[in-house]
Amino acid sequence: MSNVYERLGVATIINAKGTATRVSGAPMPPEIAVAMQEATQHCVDMAQLQGRASEIIAEATGAEAGMVTAGASAGLLLGTAACLAGLDPARMNRLPDTTGMRDEAVVVRSQRNFYDHAVRAAGARLVEVGLADRFSGAGVRDAEAWEIDDAIGERTACVFYVAQPSSRPSLAAVAEVAHAKGVPVLVDAASQLPPKQNLGRFLEEGADLVSISGGKAILGPQGSGLLCGRRDLVASALLQNLDQDLFFGQWRPPHALFASLNLRGLPQHGIGRSCKVGKEQIVALLIALELFVGEDIEKRNRRCVARLEDIEAHLDPEIARGVRIEESTDGEEPRLVLEVESRPQGPSAFDLVIALQDGSPAVHVDPSFVDEGKVAMRALCLKEGDTLVIARRVNEVLARARFSG
Ligand SMILES: *Cc1c(COP(=O)(O)O)cnc(C)c1O
């Protein structure tokens, strides 16, 4: 039976890399896909749908409010726009021109990454703090909270913090100095799930807005995410995202977000309009979030480990000697690490990555460790039968090398 990709003439791939965007995230669990399809068959008032989303996201995260975004990156743009404009529609209309606004986002230099395009796109200017001197080998520490405190001034709109287990200084310490000067903290927590507790953890540690991917561990639509936190900031983010091409008197603000907030008007289309999110993305993300909250993640990880063990079991014994399966620690997805034995004329780990990717079907793995002679694989995005194909292809590539080398 042909699938839609075959009809379009696009080859499907085996995704042993994980939920990365470039390999299209994970196959969507059927319950979510069915809800998504159902959502396409009706019309709703988008503001009311996001109002209900706010209640559901608030329940799942402990936040005051939330909204569904077109991905974590979109959430960073919207969150920054909220910190810049507040609830002033004139300012919303001006962005990314920040004339007359506080427009600096303070960021720890070691946390800079190319997702911060989204922060800059909203109109903010990044002000870097700290110098983690790992390069010379002399450095032992990263930026400190007092350095962030020192960088906060009259022009500071927010502190931008990228959450990773290794992020320094701690979010709690950053939030303390920021809040002492009345400045909100916007957190990129795109890929910090699981563990499930991280849905609420960054808010507990003092974040004012947290942006999370919907297309990674939550298994929602690839182009979805959630932004949650302070109600006035989420309300501002939503105002700059929705289409409000209507008379002010027509507008029925969803109570969950706008109760007691006094607006003097609406932007018709804010800067976040280019981060449009459709009703089917919103519905599917909400269902995915509900399932994720109820899911036993340990069980999910055990299922992944079993698939990785299945790959290992079908590798030639000589190749399997170089395999280590790393079970999840602290929520990290389990992975299989294959050390490619180095031979004079044999393929390197990178050669294996390329041979797998260029074969048919293409098998995409994680190339992050090729410099150490290792190839990594994850199982969350694998489908039935993929494990055998992967093992066969690895055997072929490495066996060919053994005979010819
Ligand atoms: C994946 C990721 C993003 C982008 O998330 P999308 O949902 O794909 O927009 C942003 N920041 C970090 C740190 C990420 O890992």
Side-chain angles (χ1 to χ4, degrees), residues 21 70-74 76 113 115 162 164 188 190-191 213-216 222 224:
T21 299
S73 180
L76 294 179
N113 63 81
Y115 293 110
V162 183
Q164 295 276 356
D188 177 352
S191 57
S213 277
K216 293 179 180 169
Q222 207 199 337
S224 73

Side-chain angles (χ1 to χ4, degrees), residues 268-284:
Q268 295 189 336
H269 299 283
I271 192 167
R273 178 64 176 77
S274 47
C275 304
K276 171 172 170 172
V277 57
K279 58 184 181 297
E280 51 282 325
Q281 272 82 26
I282 296 176
V283 168

